[in-house]
Amino acid sequence: MNTVLVLGGYGGFGARLSRRLSEDGWRVLVAGRSFAKAKRLAAELPGAEPLVADRNADLTPLLRQHRPLLLIDAAGPFQGSGYRVAEACIAERVHYIDLADARAFVCAIGDLDERARAAGVAVISGASSVPALSGAVLAELARGMDKVRSVAMSICASNQVTAGASVATAILSYVGKPFRVWKGGMWQEGIGWRRLRRDVYAVEGRRPLRRWVALADVPDYELVPESLPGRPSVIFRAGPEAAFQVFGLWLLSWLVSWGWVDSLTGLSRWLLPLQRLTTGRVSGRSAMAVEVKGICRGVPTIRRWTLVAEDGCGPEVPTLAAQLLARDIRQGLLPVGARPAGDLLRVASFRELFAALSIKDEITTTRYEPLYRRILGQGLDRLPGPVRAMHDAIGDGGAAGTATVVRGKSGPARLIGAVMRFPPEGTHRVHVTFEEENGAERWTRRFSDRSFSSAMSQQGKFLVERFGPLRFFFSLLPDSSGLKMVMAKWSLLGIPLPLSLAPRSLASETGVEGAFHFDVSITLPLIGLIVHYKGRLALDSTEPRMSPAPAMN
């Protein structure tokens, strides 16, 4: 009988994993700092043995004494942690797996690769919902795609199982903190627990879940762009069942961003009592979703994987990857070396474990027609290639170039320009990021260190561009030289305003020598010029050509 040592083996996830490993025929060493807790769980598992172990101490004597085939670290937290446990396993030729989801910890595990190979052991980090399960799902969703443009993931957990101290510390470590997010073909800044949204999780035969989730920091931000064709943008959100908790952490995140507190990790010991006080009625339902948008055989395509877990089965999901990898190690199927777990498993293997739980997952595929194509129809195909490519958008994209800006000189013009965050006068490096979601697009234009954005959608035959409470309705006029936008009407807070008082916006887009050229001038009656900016953006020449989406039967 093979032996596995589970650090944190009696904890929230560790206890579930210990039981699973015992059912698989492992001799489980239930290890942790509390011998009493380890002993209680070990008494429930055939052949299990309790041990006292601290992941921050030297584990070498323990490994030499018990000689396990495998050690699984389910203790954490891994944020800010070193590789002391993994290094001890390598030195004693013991295979190593952890359930880490800490970005830096998981992504740098490859630094141990040479030593792990020399010792003939597998060292695997991130054997949890991310990046192990998410990586398996992404490989399935991206199969056959020419290019993946964006990846959006989210997890919502039931409050039926409360977070332990390690999980609380992990979450609070990034709330209100900046971290890198790959968007629009460049690294941009995200803030932990911002960008709240309400996601819907639906699979056939189950009641949909609607939960609030917020931006979370995970290893997938680093791993996914390099693993899929097209270097897609990545966004990951997470949240508990109770909306009150999501919004409470969102409010606290501002204290960190404003510098009033350095970090919220000191609140970790209060998070569990607070969760118990604010949980209220719980459903025992959890969910996870992964969505990719890209080009498949020339057609804009959206593929979405959704998992819904009921009857309190959600907390089993983070333990399944470690169980599957442990099986592979026991059978000698896992290559030696150190690596993240994102590309080691298949969805089919997870489904074999889902079958014994109240868990259902499914994949849906839909074809998507980009915003400008919905408005212009075949007129989009008459545009020059660079202009057409810019507007045949799905998911996320970006382009970079240069621009010159001229600003109005009058007092009112300067005030309006400041309110709208228009760039200062001069020559700028420019980067434009566009995000497509639910049929609408948000364009963020960054001129040097100044950025402003607008949201675009369709209303009938018009393209509607929204700046805060203002909405501008444009007629789009395409021809072989490019695209012109002519304002037809405008409104404030949905109230129509006289066209005679509208800003005079002259906007044109052309394609010259493989580049996208833009020229936008905005003036106001009685005030004159507000801003005039023009320039060029370089597009990716390897962008797959998209065909109009065929009609769905």
Side-chain angles (χ1 to χ4, degrees):
M1 180 183 293
N2 296 122
T3 299
V4 57
L5 191 157
V6 184
L7 286 178
Y10 52 76
F13 296 132
R16 290 176 170 82
L17 179 58
S18 293
R19 290 190 179 96
R20 291 187 159 276
L21 295 169
S22 179
E23 291 170 1
D24 276 356
W26 289 87
R27 174 175 172 262
V28 181
L29 303 179
V30 181
R33 287 179 291 183
S34 171
F35 183 77
K37 293 179 180 179
K39 184 178 179 180
R40 277 197 297 271
L41 180 63
E44 302 175 13
L45 308 178
E49 181 180 338
L51 295 177
V52 174
D54 185 345
R55 68 187 302 271
N56 297 313
D58 183 9
L59 296 177
T60 301
L62 204 63
L63 296 176
R64 288 178 178 174
Q65 179 183 352
H66 294 277
R67 302 308 307 170
L69 174 67
L70 168 66
L71 180 147
I72 301 180
D73 190 348
F78 297 91
Q79 280 75 7
S81 176
Y83 296 115
R84 188 170 189 170
V85 177
E87 289 171 336
C89 288
I90 292 173
E92 296 304 316
R93 300 183 183 275
V94 173
H95 296 287
Y96 167 91
I97 295 173
D98 65 49
L99 274 62
D101 62 4
R103 181 174 179 172
F105 185 93
V106 173
C107 293
I109 196 69
D111 292 347
L112 304 179
D113 185 59
E114 186 175 342
R115 281 182 278 172
R117 289 177 183 272
V121 296
V123 173
I124 308 301
S125 187
S128 191
S129 301
V130 293
L133 174 55
S134 59
V137 171
L138 284 169
E140 180 86 6
L141 295 179
R143 186 174 293 118
M145 279 197 165
D146 309 315
K147 185 171 185 176
V148 179
R149 296 296 302 269
S150 68
V151 171
M153 298 178 278
S154 65
I155 292 177
C156 66
S158 166
N159 279 352
Q160 192 174 53
V161 178
T162 51
S166 295
V167 176
T169 300
I171 294 171
L172 294 174
S173 69
Y174 58 74
V175 171
K177 296 279 191 177
F179 53 81
R180 298 199 313 166
V181 176
W182 181 256
K183 281 177 52 61
M186 66 181 294
W187 288 108
Q188 302 188 34
E189 184 180 272
I191 304 293
W193 221 257
R194 299 286 174 77
R195 297 195 65 170
L196 270 62
R197 62 168 287 165
R198 197 172 188 228
D199 269 356
V200 178
Y201 306 87
V203 296
E204 187 177 0
R206 303 285 177 94
R207 287 186 300 109
L209 282 79
R210 292 173 174 83
R211 299 276 177 81
W212 285 96
V213 288
L215 201 63
D217 192 15
V218 292
D220 301 63
Y221 287 114
E222 303 283 345
L223 302 175
V224 171
E226 302 300 331
S227 67
L228 297 178
R231 296 201 76 198
S233 70
V234 180
I235 189 165
F236 183 93
R237 294 181 173 94
E241 181 173 358
F244 174 88
Q245 296 169 11
V246 178
F247 286 99
L249 286 178
W250 176 80
L251 288 172
L252 290 173
S253 76
W254 292 96
L255 302 182
V256 179
S257 296
W258 293 334
W260 293 4
V261 296
D262 182 61
S263 171
L264 298 181
T265 52
L267 301 178
S268 59
R269 64 188 179 124
W270 302 106
L271 195 61
L272 182 55
L274 179 63
Q275 184 170 343
R276 288 171 176 161
L277 286 173
T278 60
T279 290
R281 183 175 177 271
V282 295
S283 68
R285 308 181 77 206
S286 304
M288 179 175 176
V290 180
E291 183 178 84
V292 302
K293 296 178 179 179
I295 316 301
C296 184
R297 299 182 181 90
V299 176
T301 301
I302 302 173
R303 290 178 181 161
R304 179 181 174 91
W305 172 86
T306 306
L307 174 149
V308 173
E310 303 191 84
D311 303 325
C313 289
E316 298 287 342
V317 175
T319 72
L320 301 183
Q323 181 184 7
L324 292 170
L325 291 170
R327 290 177 178 179
D328 287 346
I329 285 176
R330 185 169 56 186
Q331 297 174 39
L333 300 177
L334 205 59
V336 300
R339 63 184 66 83
D343 61 352
L344 296 178
L345 295 168
R346 298 177 301 121
V347 175
S349 300
F350 285 97
R351 287 191 175 127
E352 293 175 3
L353 301 180
F354 294 163
L357 300 165
S358 185
I359 291 177
K360 184 174 182 181
D361 77 299
E362 68 178 24
I363 293 175
T364 59
T365 300
T366 57
R367 293 166 178 166
Y368 175 77
E369 191 172 31
L371 171 64
Y372 277 72
R373 185 169 289 281
R374 295 200 305 272
I375 298 173
L376 293 173
Q378 294 183 347
L380 187 67
D381 295 320
R382 296 199 299 268
L383 295 173
V387 180
R388 183 177 62 244
M390 180 68 74
H391 294 303
D392 238 344
I394 178 174
D396 177 282
T402 59
T404 57
V405 177
V406 176
R407 289 279 296 270
K409 303 299 191 293
S410 69
R414 290 199 299 269
L415 176 61
I416 294 170
V419 170
M420 300 299 294
R421 293 186 57 81
F422 288 139
E425 188 162 312
T427 301
H428 300 267
R429 290 188 300 174
V430 179
H431 185 275
V432 179
T433 300
F434 54 85
E435 302 172 75
E436 174 276 317
E437 190 168 14
N438 297 326
E441 297 177 9
R442 173 167 290 277
W443 286 59
T444 301
R445 308 153 182 90
R446 184 182 298 275
F447 289 73
S448 298
D449 59 351
R450 179 75 63 84
S451 66
F452 66 100
S453 64
S454 61
M456 301 185 189
S457 59
Q458 179 186 13
Q459 185 168 320
K461 64 181 180 179
F462 296 115
L463 174 75
V464 182
E465 185 168 17
R466 177 171 60 85
F467 290 89
L470 292 169
R471 284 174 170 78
F472 301 94
F473 296 73
F474 293 96
S475 296
L476 302 181
L477 307 178
D479 58 36
S480 59
S481 65
L483 180 67
K484 291 183 173 60
M485 302 171 61
V486 178
M487 188 184 301
K489 55 183 179 177
W490 69 314
S491 67
L492 173 65
L493 296 173
I495 302 171
L497 299 175
L499 190 59
S500 59
L501 299 179
R504 304 292 187 263
S505 177
L506 302 176
S508 64
E509 302 170 351
T510 56
V512 181
E513 297 180 350
F516 174 87
H517 290 252
F518 57 91
D519 192 329
V520 179
S521 176
I522 300 175
T523 62
L524 272 173
L526 304 179
I527 294 178
L529 178 69
I530 303 298
V531 67
H532 179 199
Y533 56 91
K534 61 181 180 178
R536 67 191 301 275
L537 298 171
L539 301 176
D540 181 3
S541 61
T542 64
E543 178 95 7
R545 176 71 177 94
M546 292 192 292
S547 305
M552 297 293 289
N553 293 325

